């Protein structure tokens, strides 16, 4: 009797799981790797026009899977849209979150005889041998998004984000508002994460210099509901504030919910300036509606920069504008609610 | 004599009540207006209650509901379910999925969504319960499975980083119903508490759960279905997860699979422990868990109000929790009991001498 019951229960679970998984798979065409996080297949579409592949530049892209985050999804789509046959590329893509799988994929690309290898490594170490092989085979290596611990002579250039710059862009925008005084509620992400450190740094400088007044600085560990509680506690303490600097969109939304409940106006030309990060589409729509003031982005768009550099190398030129570590720091975008357009949302917004 | 009886009767509730009283006194000392409640109007022009007290009662809603369910599982199985946060995320995801399936979000669709996520959460609860009751796996190990993969399942259901749903109905569930100044989550907690009260008043479930928790063999010989009772406790906890998941999603009209009710399982277990319940199963007092949950939330809000630096919050919380748990431990209780006895004996001896 018990065993039968157990069987029935187990069957229920399996059915339940299957029931959940099927609609998810069919209704999420925008997230190709959602079904297979360890997707090991190359993108077949890119190599379709085989005869025309003669004059094309062969490129192998090693990246992390798009299911990792909204950022990665945008990053993957950016590379797919830039390295197309129309733009003169024969590109193959490989996605994995595991370093060893990425390494063997890179080796495979070298064996296949690609002209350029583009890598966003899962881990910073273990790449020396592969990069050396690539160099010996005369393959140009570009790193994007993430650096690798190796000698800079092993790659052509690295296009990376400078997290600190993101914070600086946002803070200089805030200063440009020229408010009579800055009483800032600062809601931080998970302490110690790259994004938190970068987005906090510039604001901390302002607090120290006395230009801005720190009403409260508290971590909500990226949790929307926690952000709301933090803002509630400030409202309850009756302390004046006029800026909310939340280190991601979700927490900004939580903060705004607290303002709404307390009857405090926010947005363009209102009592409180609301700032978020990540540029989710829904957040940018809040900007467009004038409910928020600013949204900053850690740019996932590196493909065009790399494509330009490849074209320079192809025409015999030398890459310029690199720093000592052979890096190019991506330009971080920040959107102002007074200037954002529908087009920006479509181009730069993440997610749906 | 009378006093002593009262003390013994309520000894289980002593610790959570002391915790609350200490926090209240501390806050009043720090800021006399800490608990003041005022009526303001929100951005929709509706009157709403405001103040730290409301924030505490409102913010603790999910935790209170989960703590109530966790009390039952703890009592019946002598172990804890560590997958409640993940299961709430799954329930919330199902809720969002159903809401997004229709064109416009009507009250009927919301009720349908709630029923769907309730059923899904109860099935997952039954899965946990089956592992524990039928296969005799340690509850913490059995629920570790869902704890590990639950948030990935939640991601599969909707895909995307943070799906959003906007509708006045959702705002009414997670915020305020227009015209009623009390936050809806508080009302939901009251409703859930009433349901549990009725359940214990009109059924023998409470007694059965305790007897299974205290002695399985004896309760089996008395005709109680051990497996069924344990399974039922997990299914009830599943329903609690569904309710708290729906509240969590409705608060902001968005679900973030990674952070929705993150780490709440630990707070729920802590609430049960602060409530004076034995984590080894057996006798339980749900009121204790509820007070424990509010104490935890009050602690969090107090730390926010004190503007404790972000990096130190957890350390402060840990210190307070160590104190509470140590004070509530049997060793300290016994020592305090002996001390109390000594004092009262001395007192009576003294008065006796004087009389002589």
């Amino acid at each position: 009797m018990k065993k039968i019951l157990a069987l029935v229960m187990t069957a229920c679970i399996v059915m339940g799981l299957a029931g959940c998984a099927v609609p998810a798979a069919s209704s999420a065409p925008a997230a190709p790797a959602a079904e297979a996080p360890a997707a090991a297949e190359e993108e077949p579409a890119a190599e379709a026009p085989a005869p025309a592949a003669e004059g094309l530049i062969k490129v192998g892209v090693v990246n992390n899977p798009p299911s990792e985050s909204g950022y990665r999804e945008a990053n993957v789509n950016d590379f797919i849209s830039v390295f197309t046959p129309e733009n003169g590329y024969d590109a193959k893509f490989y996605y994995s979150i595991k370093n060893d799988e990425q390494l063997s994929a890179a080796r495979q690309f070298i064996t296949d005889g690609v002209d350029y290898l583009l890598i966003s490594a899962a881990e910073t170490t273990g790449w020396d041998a592969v990069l050396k092989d690539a160099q010996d085979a005369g393959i140009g290596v570009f790193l994007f998004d993430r650096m690798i611990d190796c000698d800079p002579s092993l790659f052509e250039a690295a296009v990376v984000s400078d997290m600190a710059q993101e914070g600086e862009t946002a803070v200089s925008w805030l200063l440009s508002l020229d408010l009579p005084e800055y009483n800032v509620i600062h809601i931080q992400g998970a302490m110690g994460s790259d994004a938190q450190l970068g987005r906090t740094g510039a604001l901390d400088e302002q607090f120290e210099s006395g230009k801005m007044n720190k009403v409260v600085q508290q971590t909500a560990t990226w949790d929307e509901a926690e952000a709301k509680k933090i803002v509630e506690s400030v409202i309850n303490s009756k302390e004046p504030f006029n800026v909310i600097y939340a280190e991601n969109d979700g927490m900004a939304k939580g903060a705004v919910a607290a303002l709404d409940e307390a009857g405090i106006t926010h947005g363009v030309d209102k009592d409180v300036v609301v700032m978020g990060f990540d540029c989710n589409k829904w957040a940018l729509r809040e900007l467009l509606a004038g409910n928020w003031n600013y949204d900053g982005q850690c740019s996932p768009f590196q493909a065009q920069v790399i494509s330009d550099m490849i074209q320079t190398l192809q025409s015999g030129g030398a890459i310029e504008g690199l720093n000592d570590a052979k890096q190019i720091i991506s330009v971080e975008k920040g959107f102002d609610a007074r200037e954002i357009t529908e087009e920006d949302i479509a181009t730069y917004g993440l997610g749906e | 004599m009378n006093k002593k009886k009262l003390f013994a009767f309520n000894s289980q509730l002593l610790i959570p009540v002391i915790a609350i009283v200490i926090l209240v006194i501390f806050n009043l000392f720090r800021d006399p207006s800490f608990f003041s409640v005022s009526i303001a109007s929100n951005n929709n022009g509706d009157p709403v209650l405001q103040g730290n007290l409301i924030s505490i009662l409102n913010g603790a809603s999910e935790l209170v509901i989960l703590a109530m369910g966790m009390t039952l599982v703890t009592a019946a199985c002598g172990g804890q379910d560590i997958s409640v946060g993940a299961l709430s995320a799954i329930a919330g995801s199902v809720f969002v999925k159903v809401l997004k399936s229709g064109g416009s979000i009507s009250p009927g669709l919301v009720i349908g969504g709630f029923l769907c996520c309730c059923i899904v959460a109860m099935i997952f609860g039954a899965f946990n319960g089956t592992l524990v009751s039928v296969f005799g796996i340690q509850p913490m190990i059995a629920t570790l499975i869902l704890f590990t993969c639950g948030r990935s399942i939640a991601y599969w259901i909707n895909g995307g980083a943070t799906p959003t749903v906007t509708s006045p109905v959702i705002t009414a569930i997670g915020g305020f119903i227009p015209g009623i100044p009390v936050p809806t989550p508080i009302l939901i907690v009251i409703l859930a508490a009433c349901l549990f009260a009725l359940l214990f008043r009109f059924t023998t479930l409470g007694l059965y759960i305790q007897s299974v928790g205290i002695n399985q063999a004896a309760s089996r010989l008395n005709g109680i279905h051990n497996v069924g009772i344990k399974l039922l406790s997990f299914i009830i906890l599943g329903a609690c997860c569904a309710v708290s998941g729906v509240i969590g999603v409705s608060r902001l009209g968005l679900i973030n699979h990674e952070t929705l009710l993150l780490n709440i399982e630990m707070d729920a277990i802590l609430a049960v422990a602060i409530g004076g319940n034995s984590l080894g199963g057996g006798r339980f007092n749900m009121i204790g868990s509820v007070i424990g949950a509010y104490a935890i939330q009050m602690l969090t809000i107090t730390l926010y109000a004190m503007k404790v630096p972000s990096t130190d919050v957890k350390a402060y919380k840990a210190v307070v929790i160590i104190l509470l748990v140590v004070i509530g431990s049997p060793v300290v209780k016994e020592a305090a009991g002996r001390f109390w006895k000594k004092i009262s004996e001395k007192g009576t001896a003294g008065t006796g001498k004087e009389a002589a």
Side-chain angles (χ1 to χ4, degrees):
Chain A
M1 185 58 206
K2 280 182 196 169
K3 276 178 187 160
I4 295 172
L5 187 70
L7 269 176
V8 171
M9 280 306 168
T10 323
C12 282
I13 294 304
V14 173
M15 297 290 279
L17 278 177
C20 298
V22 171
S26 59
S27 66
E35 302 104 85
E41 80 270 30
E42 274 109 287
E43 195 78 5
E47 49 184 343
E54 288 304 308
L56 299 180
I57 304 168
K58 288 176 85 176
V59 176
V61 182
V62 179
N63 201 346
N64 293 278
S67 62
E68 180 205 78
S69 59
Y71 170 88
R72 190 62 57 186
E73 199 179 318
N75 181 249
V76 164
N77 289 335
D78 181 44
F79 276 82
I80 292 175
S81 67
V82 168
F83 290 98
T84 57
E86 293 82 54
N87 291 345
Y89 294 103
D90 172 14
K92 290 181 180 173
F93 300 89
Y94 180 84
Y95 307 112
S96 174
I97 203 160
K98 291 186 182 149
N99 211 39
D100 54 335
E101 288 181 4
Q102 284 195 341
L103 281 167
S104 53
R107 283 218 173 78
Q108 187 59 45
F109 282 139
I110 294 170
T111 316
D112 289 349
V114 294
D115 300 314
Y116 294 95
L117 196 53
L118 278 41
I119 302 168
S120 172
E123 287 169 28
T124 53
T125 51
W127 286 87
D128 301 68
V130 172
L131 297 188
K132 196 105 186 76
D133 287 352
Q135 198 172 38
D136 293 345
I139 296 170
V141 175
F142 288 92
L143 309 181
F144 62 95
D145 175 36
R146 298 184 184 183
M147 280 305 290
I148 289 176
D149 267 344
C150 68
D151 195 276
S153 66
L154 290 175
F155 56 86
E156 305 292 333
V159 183
V160 290
S161 298
D162 181 353
M163 291 292 183
Q165 199 198 334
E166 228 185 316
E168 279 155 23
T169 312
V171 168
S172 60
W173 174 86
L174 184 55
L175 286 171
S176 76
L177 287 184
D178 216 13
L179 300 177
E181 56 175 351
Y182 289 90
N183 295 316
V184 185
I185 297 181
H186 180 192
I187 304 169
Q188 297 170 295
M191 297 303 286
S193 63
D194 271 358
Q196 180 267 321
L197 293 173
R199 291 166 190 180
T200 296
L203 196 58
D204 264 347
E205 276 171 28
Q206 297 299 324
F207 289 149
E208 271 160 32
S209 74
K211 174 86 180 141
M212 293 185 188
N213 177 22
K214 175 164 71 179
V215 177
V216 74
Q217 181 178 48
Q218 186 58 265
T219 177
T221 56
W222 309 125
D223 186 343
E224 299 79 13
E226 218 50 46
K228 181 168 175 242
K229 286 179 197 166
I230 292 168
V231 176
E232 267 179 19
S233 86
V234 178
I235 294 171
N236 292 336
S237 76
K238 311 258 189 313
E239 264 186 81
F241 62 93
N242 62 350
V243 177
I244 288 182
Y245 184 100
E247 290 180 358
N248 79 355
D249 286 339
M251 296 194 298
K253 191 173 168 99
V256 166
L259 297 182
D260 277 335
E261 281 182 9
I264 298 170
T265 60
H266 50 84
V268 180
D269 300 328
K270 299 283 170 57
D271 291 348
V272 175
V273 173
V274 179
M275 301 172 72
F277 284 94
D278 284 353
C279 289
N280 285 296
K281 281 214 168 80
W282 57 263
L284 293 181
R285 281 186 212 112
E286 294 281 358
L287 251 68
L288 192 65
N291 295 329
W292 297 13
N293 301 68
Y294 177 91
D295 206 4
Q297 186 169 48
C298 169
S299 171
F301 308 109
Q302 298 125 354
Q304 194 55 51
V305 180
I306 295 180
S307 172
D308 291 345
M309 288 193 284
I310 289 177
Q311 297 301 340
T312 313
L313 288 180
Q314 286 297 108
S315 58
I319 301 173
E320 289 169 359
L322 298 180
N323 64 13
D324 294 342
K326 285 178 106 173
Q327 291 171 332
I328 287 184
I329 309 296
S330 337
V331 179
E332 307 299 353
K333 275 207 162 305
F335 293 97
D336 187 323
R338 293 166 296 187
E339 290 155 11
I340 194 167
T341 59
E342 279 285 357
E343 203 180 321
D344 289 334
I345 298 180
T347 321
Y348 298 106
L350 306 186
E352 41 161 339
Chain B
M1 188 65 204
N2 206 2
K3 243 183 191 171
K4 210 172 185 183
K5 208 171 186 182
L6 197 75
F7 175 78
F9 180 69
N10 278 334
S11 67
Q12 198 188 342
L13 289 184
L14 198 65
I15 297 303
V17 169
I18 285 179
I20 289 265
V21 168
I22 290 175
L23 281 168
V24 167
I25 292 173
F26 177 77
N27 274 313
L28 286 178
F29 185 67
R30 207 178 49 76
D31 173 12
S33 68
F34 187 77
F35 290 104
S36 65
V37 173
S38 59
I39 282 206
S41 85
N42 66 6
N43 275 352
N44 293 334
D46 296 314
V48 295
L49 285 174
Q50 223 180 54
N52 281 313
L53 189 63
I54 301 297
S55 289
I56 292 165
L57 292 176
N58 186 8
S61 303
E62 292 100 319
L63 181 57
V64 170
I65 288 171
L66 289 177
M68 291 197 275
M70 187 71 83
T71 311
L72 294 186
V73 166
T74 302
C77 308
Q80 289 72 41
D81 183 340
I82 57 169
S83 68
V84 288
L87 186 46
S88 299
I90 294 175
S93 258
V94 172
F95 184 60
V96 170
K97 181 84 188 166
V98 173
L99 293 186
K100 285 190 141 279
S101 67
S104 65
I105 296 170
S106 63
L109 189 65
V110 172
I111 293 170
F114 173 65
L115 289 178
C116 279
C117 78
C118 229
I119 290 167
V120 170
M122 282 159 88
I123 290 173
F124 276 105
F127 169 72
N128 282 336
T130 308
L131 290 179
V132 172
S133 60
V134 178
F135 297 98
I137 302 172
Q138 278 279 328
M140 205 168 274
I141 302 302
T143 54
L144 187 62
I145 301 167
L146 203 54
F147 171 78
T148 315
C149 70
R151 292 190 185 271
S152 304
I153 295 174
Y155 177 85
W156 284 346
I157 293 170
N158 276 301
T162 47
T164 52
V165 279
T166 30
S167 150
V169 190
I170 297 297
T171 321
I173 296 174
F176 294 85
I177 299 169
I180 300 178
V182 181
T184 317
I186 297 180
L187 302 176
I188 297 175
V189 168
I190 293 172
L191 187 69
C194 289
L195 283 177
F196 273 114
L198 290 176
L199 191 68
F200 293 134
R201 178 76 183 77
F202 291 105
T203 69
T204 47
L205 183 69
L207 183 66
Y208 283 7
I209 285 178
Q210 295 195 9
S211 63
V212 170
I214 292 167
N215 189 331
Q216 290 205 44
S219 55
R220 188 174 53 81
L221 289 175
N222 277 297
I224 298 174
H225 199 293
N226 285 340
V227 172
I229 292 293
K230 285 182 179 178
L231 201 54
L232 192 59
S233 70
F234 270 98
I235 293 176
I236 293 174
L237 180 57
C240 291
C241 288
V243 175
S244 53
V246 167
I247 296 177
V249 168
S250 305
R251 278 190 195 279
L252 298 171
L254 108 175
I255 180 161
N256 183 338
H257 317 103
E258 290 307 318
T259 59
L260 180 72
L261 301 181
L262 187 64
N263 295 338
I264 200 160
E265 46 274 343
M266 296 307 151
D267 280 349
I269 294 169
L270 187 63
V272 174
I274 293 178
N277 297 294
S278 158
L279 292 187
R283 280 195 56 195
F284 69 91
N285 188 335
M286 206 174 259
I287 297 170
S289 305
V290 171
I291 299 176
Y294 283 121
I296 293 172
Q297 188 63 34
M298 196 182 283
L299 176 60
T300 310
I301 298 288
T302 305
L303 290 176
Y304 286 158
M306 284 170 66
K307 297 186 185 171
V308 172
S310 315
T311 38
D312 306 349
V313 168
K314 282 186 177 151
Y316 276 84
K317 241 180 161 176
V319 170
V320 177
I321 287 160
I322 291 169
L323 283 178
L324 281 179
V325 177
V326 168
I327 292 172
S329 72
V331 178
V332 174
K333 263 188 184 168
E334 207 176 294
R338 261 181 287 151
F339 183 66
W340 181 252
K341 215 174 160 189
K342 233 182 189 172
I343 287 180
S344 53
E345 263 173 15
K346 252 187 192 166
T348 49
T351 48
K353 253 181 203 168
E354 265 166 37

